[in-house]
Amino acid sequence: MPADFHDADGNTLAGWSGLKELRLGGQETLRSKKNGAKPVSLGAVWKGANPEFRNLRWEGGDDPNQPAAKVVTQPVEKS
């Protein structure tokens, strides 16, 4: 649900419209565009075996006004 997700300023998402990136990782730092706002750190360094994602897909309509999404994969860094 979009309302389960927050931006760097603590605001909940009203919907999925306008999202351009999806990241799956153990730790993320959100930075606000407001002057003087402190970054918000979420999660922690990944511990354990590398995760495996099966049948991971994004479902929904295509917005003809937006360019197609680009998929970039990166290995999970272990400490």
Side-chain angles (χ1 to χ4, degrees):
M1 304 299 293
D4 293 334
F5 295 87
H6 300 82
D7 64 15
D9 298 319
N11 302 314
T12 58
L13 296 182
W16 301 119
S17 179
L19 294 181
K20 298 178 183 175
E21 185 174 356
L22 170 67
R23 293 186 193 195
L24 301 175
Q27 188 172 21
E28 185 69 36
T29 301
L30 303 178
R31 290 177 174 76
S32 174
K33 293 182 180 181
K34 292 182 180 178
N35 253 351
K38 293 182 181 180
V40 177
S41 292
L42 305 169
V45 175
W46 182 261
K47 295 179 183 177
N50 286 339
E52 293 184 25
F53 299 100
R54 297 180 187 172
N55 198 22
L56 181 65
R57 58 191 168 165
W58 188 279
E59 292 186 8
D62 293 325
D63 183 346
N65 299 316
Q66 297 292 325
K70 179 173 69 171
V71 176
V72 179
T73 59
Q74 297 176 328
V76 174
E77 295 182 24
K78 292 176 120 181
S79 58

